[in-house]
């Protein structure tokens, strides 16, 4: 599509967003006791935000105007965060991770595919060079350590080698003969010209010259007329602009060069001009503001205030629109809070310990959020993203809504927007310079006027030093830790699979089960949505991870072969995350004892934070929380690691894009109490239903057969296979297809089509997942 198409898509998304924000102000701020109405409002907003998200992601991925992309990006991240906030409210209201949105989609006349989560391409594209370099480094480490085999060079068979040599030799002979014939032709042509007599009359010579010149002039005139016509139609650019249009032919090259070509020439000049013209005025204004604040504070409190430290914002705290009384009160309150902090910690710990030991009274019942909302009235919680969305909407109306995008063929930058950005940089640079001068001036004023001596600032507390020493291996570089973890098999290479490769359709029986009040297992699209919402979107965007409801850990539970490991690799592929494998069988014997496990977790935490995003995967995680006593050293280490996981999660902050993902096929063997405390989100992954094995869209049997080079001529055969394979997982089906479609069978396929019996015979060798086992997963959680 053209640039104007995506500009219109952006404008439509902003228009829909304004309507939706206005609707939220009217509906979500008023308490509502009708929970069914609340559920409908949330579901409608969720679907509408999803449509806006899809439009903004498409516009951001395809627009080449750098300033337009910078304007879309915060709104896109804000919409993602708002979707996560609404999802949290829906989960609290329904007490379930999966919601039935079929009725709402039908009212809005939209298909089920509209609630699929789109994955923005910028998660990978904006860090592509870093990710490629990191992958290359990891390959070298694994090759040197012998953990990865170099891809073998495929040897040619004798007939193929002979054919390749023949083709090359015939090509060489053809080129040689062509050069030889060209030399003969040039020699004969030269002899013919020398033998010809050139005794033409002057009139004939003039006529010949006129003929050639008139033909040349007419061709040039025709070419010029054609170029003017193309420029008039807007197909090509004028000649003086052709040099800048070449990079528009390739979208990838445009994104790489857009900022350099558009803004680099003007940024330096704008910044220098602003420093020359507005720099002195800004410096003088800032000094006057700080001096006035110091003077007024002394008149009120009787002494000059302390200069705000950098942690409190430095001189920015003074520049904010506050009265001197407010500034003095805040500084005094912060000093008192710092003094009382250490005393309050000990008192709180002493008070909290007896409270934790008191048993719960027999008649007291814990109320769920839905029950409290029904009694008190539901009201939407505070949002961290509405202000971002409103600011982005206002900027769009001011700068981009009334702009003529059709006349801007080059998609050139706007100098005024660059000037605004550079003005903030100039103000920040001058603020730092002024802060140093004014801090020195304040010291002199305190010394000569108040007679005070300003001491040095107190260093951090002892607890902070201990925590910093424990959580960082300061003597080691990130490269050395990265190499050690890779050589030890803890840091592994993720397989290149996408979330869309997890194939499956919606369960058509969901609406019938809804009326009975039952909670069926999620279908494959529900699993994709939950993994995208809790794993991919927060890891892909720093702003979303810092402001959205924080999810530090996630558990994928389901029978063996349903694709749990594939989903872990898909999270890493979609976000470019590092993958740390802390499966008990993988770390056994590598870091023995409590000290070794603690050191390993510190290394994983440090590397994961520094090279974020990162995924820490624990396979067979139920072994860390087994009910019985440990039988051996390996099982004891697993239990030790399980006890360390809460401290590991506690060390993760909102700014750290690190996600703990556990996978288990037997969760009922674990101690459910500590098991569920570690994992915030638990996603049950069922075996594929009939619509996933066979349906109108791409299904498991059809996808795996085509992927492995096979072909099916009759849909009846696929339907029969879907019926026979009830109870078998995706892993079983894939193994059956790979077993049947051997190299010999693929060669025989043109004269011997595939039959259902071949797959059924191989399928009978596998043990299916029975209904009783699947019910056990539902009972466990």
């Amino acid at each position: 599509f053209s640039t104007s198409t995506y500009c219109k898509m952006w404008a439509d998304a902003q228009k829909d967003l304004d309507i939706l924000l206005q609707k939220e102000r009217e509906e979500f701020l008023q308490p509502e006791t009708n929970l069914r109405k609340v559920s409908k409002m949330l579901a409608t907003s969720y679907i509408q935000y999803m449509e806006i998200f899809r439009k903004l992601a498409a516009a951001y991925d395809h627009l080449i105007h750098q300033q337009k992309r910078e304007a879309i990006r915060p709104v896109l991240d804000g919409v993602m965060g708002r979707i996560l906030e609404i999802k949290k409210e829906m989960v609290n209201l329904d007490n379930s991770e999966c919601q039935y949105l079929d009725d709402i989609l039908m009212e809005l006349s939209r298909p089920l595919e509209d609630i699929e989560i789109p994955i923005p391409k910028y998660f990978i594209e904006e860090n592509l060079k870093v990710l490629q370099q990191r992958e290359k480094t990891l390959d070298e480490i694994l090759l040197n350590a012998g953990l990865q085999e170099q891809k073998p060079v495929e040897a040619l068979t004798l007939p193929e080698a002979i054919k390749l040599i023949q083709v090359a030799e015939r090509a060489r002979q053809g080129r040689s003969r062509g050069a030889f014939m060209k030399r003969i032709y040039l020699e004969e042509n030269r002899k013919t010209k020398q033998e010809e007599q050139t005794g033409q009359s002057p009139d004939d010579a003039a006529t010949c010259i006129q003929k050639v010149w008139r033909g040349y002039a007419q061709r040039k005139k025709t070419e010029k007329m054609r170029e003017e016509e193309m420029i008039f139609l807007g197909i090509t650019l004028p000649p003086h602009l052709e040099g800048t249009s070449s990079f528009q032919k390739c979208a990838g090259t445009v994104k790489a060069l857009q900022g350099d070509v558009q803004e680099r020439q003007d940024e330096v000049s704008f910044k220098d001009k602003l420093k020359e013209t507005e720099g002195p005025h800004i410096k003088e204004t800032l000094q006057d503001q700080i001096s006035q604040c110091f003077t007024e504070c002394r008149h009120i409190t009787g002494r000059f205030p302390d200069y705000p430290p950098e942690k409190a914002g430095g001189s920015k705290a003074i520049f904010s629109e506050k009265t001197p009384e407010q500034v003095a009160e805040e500084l005094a309150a912060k000093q008192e809070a710092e003094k009382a902090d250490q005393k309050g910690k000990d008192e709180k710990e002493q008070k909290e310990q007896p409270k934790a030991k008191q048993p719960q009274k027999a008649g007291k019942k814990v109320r769920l959020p839905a029950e409290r909302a029904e009694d008190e009235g539901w009201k939407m919680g505070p949002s961290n993203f509405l202000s971002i969305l409103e600011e982005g909407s206002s900027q769009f109306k001011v700068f981009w809504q009334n702009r003529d995008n059709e006349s801007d063929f080059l998609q050139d930058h706007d100098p005024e927007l660059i000037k605004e950005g550079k003005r903030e940089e100039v103000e920040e640079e001058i603020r730092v310079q002024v802060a140093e001068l004014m801090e020195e001036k304040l010291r002199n004023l305190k010394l000569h006027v108040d007679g005070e001596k300003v001491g040095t600032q107190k260093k951090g507390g002892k607890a902070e030093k201990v925590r910093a020493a424990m959580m960082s291996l300061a003597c080691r570089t990130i490269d050395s830790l990265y190499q050690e973890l890779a050589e030890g098999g803890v840091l592994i290479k993720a397989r290149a699979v996408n979330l869309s490769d997890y194939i499956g359709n919606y369960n058509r029986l969901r609406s019938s089960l809804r009326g009975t009040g039952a909670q069926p297992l999620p279908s494959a699209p529900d699993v994709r949505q939950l993994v995208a919402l809790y794993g991919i979107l927060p890891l892909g965007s720093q702003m979303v991870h810092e402001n959205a409801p924080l999810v530090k850990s996630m558990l994928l539970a389901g029978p063996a072969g349903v694709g749990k490991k594939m989903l872990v690799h898909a999270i890493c592929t979609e976000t470019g995350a590092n993958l740390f494998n802390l499966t008990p069988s993988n770390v056994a014997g590598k870091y023995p004892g409590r000290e070794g496990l603690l050191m390993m977790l510190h290394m994983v935490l440090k590397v994961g934070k520094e090279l974020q995003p990162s995924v820490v995967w624990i396979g067979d995680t139920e072994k860390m929380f087994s009910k019985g006593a440990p039988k051996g050293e390996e099982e004891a280490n697993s239990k030790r690691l399980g006890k360390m996981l809460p401290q590991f999660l506690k060390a993760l902050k909102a700014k750290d894009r690190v996600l703990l993902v556990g996978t288990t096929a037997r969760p009922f063997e674990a101690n459910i109490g500590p098991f569920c405390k570690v994992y915030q989100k638990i996603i049950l992954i069922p075996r594929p239903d009939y619509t996933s094995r066979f349906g109108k869209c791409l299904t498991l049997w059809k996808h795996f057969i085509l992927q492995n080079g096979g072909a099916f001529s009759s849909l009846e055969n696929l339907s029969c296979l879907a019926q026979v394979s009830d109870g078998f997982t995706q892993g079983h089906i894939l193994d059956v297809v790979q077993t049947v479609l051997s190299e010999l069978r693929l060669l025989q396929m043109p004269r011997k089509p595939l039959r259902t019996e071949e797959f059924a015979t191989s399928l009978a060798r596998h043990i299916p997942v029975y209904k009783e086992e699947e019910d056990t997963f539902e009972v466990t959680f």
Side-chain angles (χ1 to χ4, degrees), residues 86-104:
I86 293 177
K87 178 67 176 179
K88 181 184 177 182
E89 293 289 335
M90 294 167 68
V91 171
N92 292 338
L93 199 63
D94 297 342
N95 296 321
S96 174
E97 293 291 346
C98 299
Q99 284 75 37
Y100 301 95
L101 304 179
D102 308 49
D103 298 340
I104 310 297

Side-chain angles (χ1 to χ4, degrees), residues 383-495:
S383 172
N384 295 329
F385 296 97
L386 285 180
S387 58
I388 297 172
L389 295 177
E390 291 172 354
E391 183 181 354
S393 180
S394 62
Q395 287 184 358
F396 173 78
K397 291 175 182 176
V398 172
F399 294 109
W400 304 106
Q401 187 174 20
N402 299 320
R403 182 166 300 211
D404 186 8
N405 293 306
E406 295 181 359
S407 61
D408 189 10
F409 187 83
L410 284 178
Q411 293 295 296
D412 202 3
H413 62 280
D414 188 347
E416 289 300 321
L417 291 178
I418 297 178
K419 191 180 293 185
E420 287 295 327
K422 291 300 166 186
R423 182 177 285 109
E424 294 178 1
E425 293 182 14
V426 171
E427 288 180 358
E428 182 64 22
E429 291 179 5
I430 295 175
R431 185 191 70 81
V432 174
Q433 298 173 5
V434 170
E436 295 176 358
L437 296 174
M438 298 308 294
E439 192 170 2
E440 182 65 27
K441 182 179 179 180
L442 180 62
R443 287 198 193 97
N444 296 331
L445 286 172
K446 283 189 173 186
L447 182 62
H448 294 94
V449 178
D450 293 341
E452 295 182 8
K453 291 185 179 180
V454 182
T456 56
Q457 292 183 353
K458 293 182 179 180
K459 296 184 179 179
K462 185 177 179 182
E464 188 176 350
K465 289 182 179 179
V466 173
R467 191 181 303 112
M470 287 294 291
M471 299 310 296
S472 63
L473 302 171
C475 59
R476 300 279 302 276
T477 62
I478 293 296
D479 293 339
S480 66
L481 295 175
Y482 186 89
Q483 183 175 353
E484 181 179 339
L485 290 173
E487 290 175 349
V490 177
L491 178 62
I492 63 175
K493 186 176 180 180
R495 288 189 288 114

